[in-house]
Amino acid sequence: MNQEVLFYYAILAGGFVLILLSILAFFLFRHDNEARFKHYIGTFLMLLCGVGLIVYTVPSLKYIVFHDYATIKGTCTVEYDDQSKPRTIDLSLDKTGDYFSFLDRVELGAYGPDVPYTCHVTTTKDHAFPISYRIYDFKTDKLLYSSE
């Protein structure tokens, strides 16, 4: 299992944990006479965050579980952010306008919009969560890097 799939499951699990904690906190505050309004507001916000994470991830759950992926191929530009923590690589496909970000470090030699590459990005069918990618040389179609 790669890093992107583990990240997906972490988001999904985080949503369930936030919902469970907010329900438990609500019942604890219900019997506490000292509980203030701000405690209930914080619990409600925690519940909303958990529901938001679940709503964000559940539509792609069947694609992740059954490994039902789509591969997008095309000319792309590669941006590498060396300053961010964790280091990310951003792939922007020119024709489709899709943008994918991966937690990875790639040594290609040249980055930016002036250097075109051919990319094959494996993603869920709804294009919500990227799974893996392969970067090829634009002129020779030689595989330069694969995250698989």
Side-chain angles (χ1 to χ4, degrees):
M1 208 177 296
N2 67 11
Q3 232 177 350
E4 276 37 343
V5 175
L6 290 175
F7 185 64
Y8 170 83
Y9 283 124
I11 293 172
L12 184 66
F16 283 119
V17 167
L18 283 175
I19 290 173
L20 181 67
L21 287 176
S22 65
I23 291 170
L24 289 174
F26 174 75
F27 283 114
L28 287 175
F29 291 146
R30 202 173 87 178
H31 297 296
D32 186 9
N33 293 335
E34 297 290 321
R36 294 194 168 85
F37 185 69
K38 66 180 179 179
H39 294 116
Y40 287 109
I41 294 294
T43 303
F44 182 70
L45 290 176
M46 189 169 32
L47 178 70
L48 281 180
C49 287
V51 169
L53 290 176
I54 296 294
V55 167
Y56 178 64
T57 54
V58 164
S60 300
L61 183 62
K62 68 179 178 179
Y63 303 127
I64 296 285
V65 170
F66 295 118
H67 303 285
D68 192 14
Y69 304 139
T71 301
I72 304 168
K73 301 175 184 177
T75 306
C76 68
T77 56
V78 178
E79 295 289 333
Y80 179 64
D81 190 4
D82 196 21
Q83 303 299 322
S84 68
K85 298 285 182 190
R87 294 186 174 124
T88 60
I89 186 167
D90 302 322
L91 304 176
S92 176
L93 277 83
D94 297 337
K95 289 185 180 179
T96 61
D98 290 325
Y99 175 82
F100 300 102
S101 183
F102 292 91
L103 301 170
D104 203 357
R105 182 180 183 141
V106 179
E107 297 297 331
L108 293 175
Y111 303 98
D114 296 336
V115 184
Y117 291 101
T118 302
C119 296
H120 296 188
V121 179
T122 304
T123 180
T124 56
K125 293 253 181 168
D126 59 355
H127 297 222
F129 292 96
I131 305 299
S132 64
Y133 65 95
R134 292 183 306 248
I135 299 175
Y136 295 90
D137 186 85
F138 182 70
K139 295 177 184 171
T140 63
D141 283 336
K142 177 184 167 195
L143 180 64
L144 298 175
Y145 187 80
S146 176
S147 69
E148 298 172 336

